[in-house]
């Protein structure tokens, strides 16, 4: 530098060189961060794909729920007759529902056939 404060040619090159060095370091660091973010996303996605069904149940259900799920299979002897009646009613309702659906399907096909023959 000159005593008046003006930059001479070599000092200007030094400052420009330092500026390029800082920009290069910033570019390298940003590239590293970008690569690490991609790796983290891949690892998280892989972890979610590799979960077993049991682990998925644990993630959707709280600890207290496991207690109730364990109690679900316990049958109180006094209520066994009522449980059997409810199971039979459920089975009968499934059969009625299937019959109703098949009847509705037959009626629709017959109705469509009549419309096509008339139209």
């Amino acid at each position: 530098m000159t005593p008046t404060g003006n930059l001479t040619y070599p000092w200007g090159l030094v400052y420009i060189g330092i500026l390029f060095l800082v920009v290069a370091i910033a570019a390298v660091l940003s590239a590293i961060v970008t690569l690490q973010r991609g790796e983290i996303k891949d690892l998280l996605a892989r972890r979610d794909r590799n979960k077993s069904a049991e682990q998925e149940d644990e993630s959707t259900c709280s600890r207290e729920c496991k207690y109730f799920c364990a109690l679900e299979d316990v049958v109180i002897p006094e209520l066994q007759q009522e449980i059997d009646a409810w199971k039979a009613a459920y089975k009968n309702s499934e059969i009625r529902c299937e019959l109703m659906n098949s009847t509705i399907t037959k009626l629709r096909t017959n109705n469509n056939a009549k419309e096509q023959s008339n139209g």
Side-chain angles (χ1 to χ4, degrees), residues 49-95:
R49 279 191 308 248
N50 292 337
K51 279 187 177 180
S52 66
E54 184 178 312
Q55 288 174 334
E56 287 180 11
D57 288 344
E58 289 176 2
S59 65
T60 58
C61 195
S62 66
R63 270 181 105 179
E64 294 83 20
C65 183
K66 287 183 181 181
Y67 173 73
F68 292 111
C69 291
L71 289 178
E72 190 176 44
D73 294 331
V74 176
V75 177
I76 300 171
E78 295 84 26
L79 298 177
Q80 183 63 45
Q81 190 176 21
E82 186 178 350
I83 291 171
D84 292 337
W86 278 108
K87 285 182 181 178
Y90 178 73
K91 186 68 174 171
N92 290 338
S93 66
E94 283 183 331
I95 292 170

Side-chain angles (χ1 to χ4, degrees), residues 32-49:
I32 290 171
V33 167
T34 304
L35 289 174
Q36 287 178 347
R37 283 185 181 169
E39 289 176 10
I40 289 171
K41 285 182 182 179
D42 290 341
L43 289 174
L44 289 174
R46 190 179 313 151
R47 182 187 69 181
D48 291 339
R49 279 191 308 248

